[in-house]
């Protein structure tokens, strides 16, 4: 499962009580307590193994000025279906995407930073074809916390572990490039990596000079010598 039921709420409730008690004691003692948003956060970019071990998700910056966060399934523990064919996203609500390969699809959809320095937005679960509210952050450099909400008061979380090795069948190329994952249209890079042929033509004075430069004259053929 790439993203589904993800643990219990109890740890979050206990953490909230402890934080409230600590804040109260600090006020009584004349001390100040830094808000949770002030805690140092690590860059969530990287490749992460989901808590159930069924997928590896590459997380990277995306969008205008790379202020958003996107994620792609770059490895699946079970990439083939019961017929031995590559799995496809057949439960997707968008009929046009139901034949796309599950391996390489985008599931983290341009999350934005919130006031707590966490990324929040939508995540897509290919197992049920539904979208969920999600918040993502990294308190530890080797861990990524993923908190998903079915509804406002029903939120659960799981921890993904960072991986640096490469498994057979894992996509290692750049997003939208050879052997890389595929971004949804709204989050696709402006130009696919390695497409130098699509680079714009020269502009400005240099471009104008190149266009107006005269062609070199062809060498003249010498006249034949007069017959003796």
């Amino acid at each position: 499962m790439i993203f589904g039921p993800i643990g219990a709420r109890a740890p979050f409730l206990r953490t909230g009580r402890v934080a409230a008690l600590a804040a109260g004691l600090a006020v009584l003692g004349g001390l100040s307590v830094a808000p949770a948003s002030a805690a140092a956060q690590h860059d969530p970019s990287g490749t992460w193994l989901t808590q159930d071990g069924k997928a590896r998700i590459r997380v990277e910056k995306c969008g205008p000025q790379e202020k958003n966060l996107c994620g792609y399934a770059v490895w699946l523990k079970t990439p083939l279906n019961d017929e031995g064919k590559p799995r496809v996203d057949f439960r997707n609500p968008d009929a046009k995407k139901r034949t796309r390969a599950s391996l390489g699809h985008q599931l983290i959809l341009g999350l934005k930073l919130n006031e707590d320095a966490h990324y929040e937005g939508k995540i897509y679960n290919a197992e049920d074809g539904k979208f969920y509210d999600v918040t993502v952050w990294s308190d530890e450099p080797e861990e990524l916390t993923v908190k998903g909400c079915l509804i406002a008061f029903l939120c659960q979380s799981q921890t993904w572990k960072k991986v640096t090795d490469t498994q057979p069948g894992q996509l290692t190329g750049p997003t939208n490039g050879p052997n890389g994952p595929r971004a949804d249209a709204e989050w696709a890079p402006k130009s696919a990596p390695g497409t130098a042929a699509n680079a714009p033509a020269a502009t400005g004075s240099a471009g104008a000079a190149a266009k107006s430069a005269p062609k070199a004259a062809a060498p003249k053929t010498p006249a034949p010598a007069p017959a003796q």
Side-chain angles (χ1 to χ4, degrees):
M1 178 177 294
I2 292 177
F3 186 82
I6 47 178
R9 298 177 59 203
F12 286 95
L13 297 178
R14 290 197 295 270
T15 302
R17 294 194 190 101
V18 172
L21 178 60
L25 292 175
V27 171
L28 291 175
L31 301 177
S32 61
V33 177
S37 59
Q41 297 293 316
H42 297 277
D43 185 354
S45 300
T47 302
W48 306 88
L49 179 66
T50 57
Q51 185 168 293
D52 58 17
K54 292 184 178 180
R56 290 184 173 201
I57 310 301
R58 182 199 292 171
V59 177
E60 60 190 25
K61 300 295 178 61
C62 62
Q65 301 178 348
E66 296 191 339
K67 290 184 177 181
N68 299 81
L69 198 69
C70 293
Y72 312 89
V74 294
W75 175 85
L76 299 176
K77 184 177 181 179
T78 309
L80 305 179
N81 60 20
D82 295 339
E83 299 176 352
K85 298 179 180 180
R87 293 184 179 276
V88 296
D89 189 14
F90 67 95
R91 289 192 175 94
N92 198 300
D94 184 347
K96 296 179 181 179
K97 294 181 179 180
R98 290 174 188 166
T99 57
R100 70 176 183 176
S102 295
L103 179 63
H105 81 278
Q106 181 172 353
L107 68 155
I108 296 178
L109 307 173
L111 310 185
K112 298 180 180 180
L113 272 176
N114 63 18
E115 59 185 7
D116 295 322
H118 297 168
Y119 286 90
E120 63 181 7
K122 295 290 183 180
I123 190 169
Y124 170 69
N125 182 12
E127 293 208 346
D128 61 10
K130 295 181 179 179
F131 298 85
Y132 298 93
D133 292 326
V134 71
T135 304
V136 171
W137 70 93
S138 178
D139 289 328
E140 302 294 335
E142 303 302 317
E143 294 183 352
L144 188 71
T145 301
V146 182
K147 181 179 179 182
C149 299
L150 302 177
I151 51 180
F153 56 85
L154 182 57
C155 298
Q156 300 172 325
S157 73
Q158 60 179 231
T159 300
W160 296 356
K161 300 291 185 180
K162 177 168 281 190
V163 292
T164 56
D165 65 326
T166 300
Q167 290 292 324
Q170 181 171 329
L171 302 178
T172 58
T175 301
N176 280 19
N179 194 40
R182 305 168 306 280
D184 287 352
E186 60 269 36
W187 299 109
K190 292 184 178 180
S191 59
T195 55
N198 295 331
T203 57
S205 58
K211 292 180 179 179
S212 60
K215 295 182 179 180
K220 296 181 178 180
T221 303
Q228 296 293 334

